Amino acid sequence: CGLKREPLYLASLTYFNAKRKKKVAEIHQALNSDPTDVAALRRMAISEGGLLTDEIRRKVWPKLLNVNANDPPPVSGKNLRQMSKDYQQVLLDVRRSLRRFPPGMPEEQREGLQEELIDIILLILERNPQLHYYQGYHDIVVTFLLVVGERLATSLVEKLSTHHLRDFMDPTMDNTKHILNYLMPIIDQVNPELHDFMQSAEVGTIFALSWLITWFGHVLSDFRHVVRLYDFFLACHPLMPIYFAAVIVLYREQEVLDCDCDMASVHHLLSQIPQDLPYETLISRAGDLFVQFPPSELAREAAAQQQAERTAASTFKDFELASAQQRPDMVLRQRFRGLLRPEDRTEDVLTKPRTNRFVKLAVMGLTVALGAAALAVVKSALEWAPKFQLQLFP
């Protein structure tokens, strides 16, 4: 029996290697095109396996963010560690980031990378005074540092911070809350029963905060899965992480429905994200949902959800007060439990008639068309979300 299985295994391995080799060749062809074929690179970043290796990511990630990899960021002549108001908080967060470094890494090397991590964050904040540090930001920066090194990580994260992450770096949490409020309408479109159960449990969306603001870097232990998601998110619309959060919840439907219908039980379950998720399947599903239910169609319900939660004042000072907590969502979770009035917590999003689902679209078709426009314009939710609200509420 074992002898019969061996040829099948070898055939499968041969096919996998050939497929991988073909993809590497296509990536290099796109990189060597004049001009660079960024649409093809997005397609490669999204398709199964993503960009495959960190060596390829070092070449492709700058292209996806339209950053010149040969143009080093300027070095600040200031002593940022003495001058920065964020230094102590950054230092605390970086010291707690041990598990984000590869197991077995020599201590001296890790400590050197932690110093570089601090320098990157402080330099970006100093160069962009409109940006406000938040706990969890270091989880994103360390991912880029480990993949591309200090110099290029500084350029890439600075670009990311002024675009994809811009809303998380406001002085208040209002825009971050607005993005979180897209979660339940997405779930409602796909699985009304699951949505209604979660609404009855009053679980809210705070369980997904650390997923969103760290691009899942804080909650996934396998670095391979983290960088695979970064490939996907860098190639897509800035709201794609909230769609991915939704498909995780949808994937765990039965676990959620088997829970006691109360906030503590459901929140505890969803806060403990499984490490063995079928990432490629979920990436494909998130892409499908983005095409079927784009943000423009969900904006009215997200705005209604925002209105229902308006009594929960949340600012980045919450994170500063939580300096002893490693979980980025700890204080906000407590605030939402304690501050929301019962009538606010139970208010539902806008009811609507159930509609027929669109025919499922292939994720590749979706993101190539979407990605080319999305990153060419690359506007943060700060710019486009209010516009949708203005259109819907003249």
Side-chain angles (χ1 to χ4, degrees):
C1 184
L3 292 176
K4 291 180 181 179
R5 286 199 188 103
E6 187 174 347
L8 290 175
Y9 169 75
L10 292 175
S12 176
L13 184 62
T14 300
Y15 172 77
F16 172 80
N17 288 337
K19 188 176 179 182
R20 181 185 176 94
K21 187 175 180 180
K22 180 175 182 291
K23 186 171 190 179
V24 170
E26 289 174 346
I27 292 172
H28 285 297
Q29 181 180 357
L31 283 169
N32 293 329
S33 297
D34 188 15
T36 301
D37 191 345
V38 179
L41 293 177
R42 289 197 184 93
R43 191 164 60 246
M44 296 298 105
I46 292 159
S47 63
E48 185 177 359
L51 296 175
L52 302 174
T53 70
D54 286 351
E55 180 182 1
I56 292 176
R57 290 183 178 99
R58 283 190 282 272
K59 298 174 182 177
V60 174
W61 281 4
K63 302 297 183 183
L64 297 180
L65 286 174
N66 194 26
V67 168
N68 185 348
N70 298 317
D71 185 16
V75 177
S76 175
K78 303 175 183 177
N79 188 337
L80 298 180
R81 298 194 181 204
Q82 287 186 355
M83 298 178 58
S84 174
K85 63 181 177 58
D86 297 300
Y87 171 63
Q88 289 302 323
Q89 185 61 61
V90 172
L91 180 63
L92 286 170
D93 292 341
V94 169
R95 283 177 174 172
R96 289 195 296 256
S97 65
L98 298 184
R99 68 181 188 85
R100 293 303 317 280
F101 294 89
M105 174 179 282
E107 182 178 357
E108 184 177 351
Q109 182 183 1
R110 175 185 50 76
E111 289 176 349
L113 287 170
Q114 287 179 302
E115 293 300 313
E116 292 178 2
L117 179 56
I118 294 171
D119 291 338
I120 292 171
I121 294 172
L122 295 182
L123 179 59
I124 291 172
L125 294 175
E126 192 262 340
R127 282 171 45 80
N128 300 272
Q130 77 278 16
L131 301 180
H132 297 261
Y133 178 76
Y134 64 89
Q135 283 185 275
Y137 183 67
H138 69 288
D139 282 298
I140 288 182
V141 181
V142 73
T143 302
F144 282 88
L145 174 61
L146 291 173
V147 173
V148 304
E150 180 181 11
R151 184 186 66 81
L152 187 51
T154 304
S155 298
L156 296 182
V157 176
E158 182 170 24
K159 184 65 172 285
L160 197 70
S161 300
T162 55
H163 293 86
H164 291 65
L165 306 179
R166 179 64 183 86
D167 296 305
F168 308 148
M169 306 192 75
D170 273 353
T172 74
M173 287 291 293
D174 289 345
N175 280 315
T176 301
K177 284 172 55 186
H178 179 77
I179 296 172
L180 278 172
N181 284 333
Y182 279 84
L183 181 65
M184 294 304 292
I186 297 169
I187 294 171
D188 190 26
Q189 292 284 355
V190 179
N191 192 326
E193 179 187 3
L194 178 60
H195 167 270
D196 293 346
F197 180 90
M198 292 175 67
Q199 289 291 93
S200 296
E202 301 180 9
V203 69
T205 57
I206 296 303
F207 66 85
L209 177 63
S210 61
W211 305 358
L212 179 67
I213 65 176
T214 70
W215 277 12
F216 296 85
H218 183 75
V219 294
L220 298 181
S221 58
D222 192 325
F223 192 70
R224 295 172 303 169
H225 297 152
V226 174
V227 293
R228 173 65 188 101
L229 287 181
Y230 277 45
D231 291 343
F232 179 47
F233 296 152
L234 287 171
C236 293
H237 190 283
L239 269 184
M240 191 57 79
I242 202 67
Y243 282 79
F244 191 79
V247 298
I248 290 178
V249 177
L250 291 163
Y251 174 75
R252 304 185 70 191
E253 169 195 3
Q254 199 55 54
E255 291 179 80
V256 175
L257 295 178
D258 287 343
C259 264
D260 293 333
C261 190
D262 61 73
M263 188 185 73
S265 300
V266 180
H267 181 92
H268 177 74
L269 173 72
L270 292 174
S271 296
Q272 309 301 312
I273 192 169
Q275 298 298 311
D276 58 348
L277 293 168
Y279 291 94
E280 296 300 335
T281 301
L282 296 182
I283 285 171
S284 177
R285 182 61 173 147
D288 290 340
L289 292 183
F290 189 94
V291 161
Q292 293 175 37
F293 313 112
S296 55
E297 292 187 8
L298 302 174
R300 180 185 293 274
E301 295 179 39
Q305 188 89 359
Q306 180 97 345
Q307 184 65 34
E309 295 173 351
R310 203 167 289 280
T311 56
S314 50
T315 71
F316 280 104
K317 291 188 182 299
D318 293 317
F319 288 130
E320 294 171 8
L321 293 173
S323 60
Q325 305 285 351
Q326 171 67 5
R327 290 295 299 272
D329 62 345
M330 182 69 70
V331 167
L332 283 180
R333 187 165 71 246
Q334 294 168 350
R335 286 178 64 89
F336 270 64
R337 274 207 295 261
L339 291 184
L340 288 183
R341 300 192 305 267
E343 59 268 29
D344 288 328
R345 289 200 301 265
T346 55
E347 184 176 339
D348 203 348
V349 295
L350 285 175
T351 57
K352 61 183 184 311
R354 303 299 178 195
T355 56
N356 293 329
R357 300 291 180 254
F358 290 103
V359 177
K360 185 173 182 178
L361 301 176
V363 69
M364 289 311 303
L366 117 79
T367 5
V368 179
L370 157 77
L375 222 53
V377 224
V378 153
K379 292 190 176 182
S380 72
L382 181 65
E383 296 168 342
W384 44 257
K387 180 173 69 175
F388 287 143
Q389 294 185 48
L390 288 173
Q391 291 172 346
L392 290 165
F393 302 98

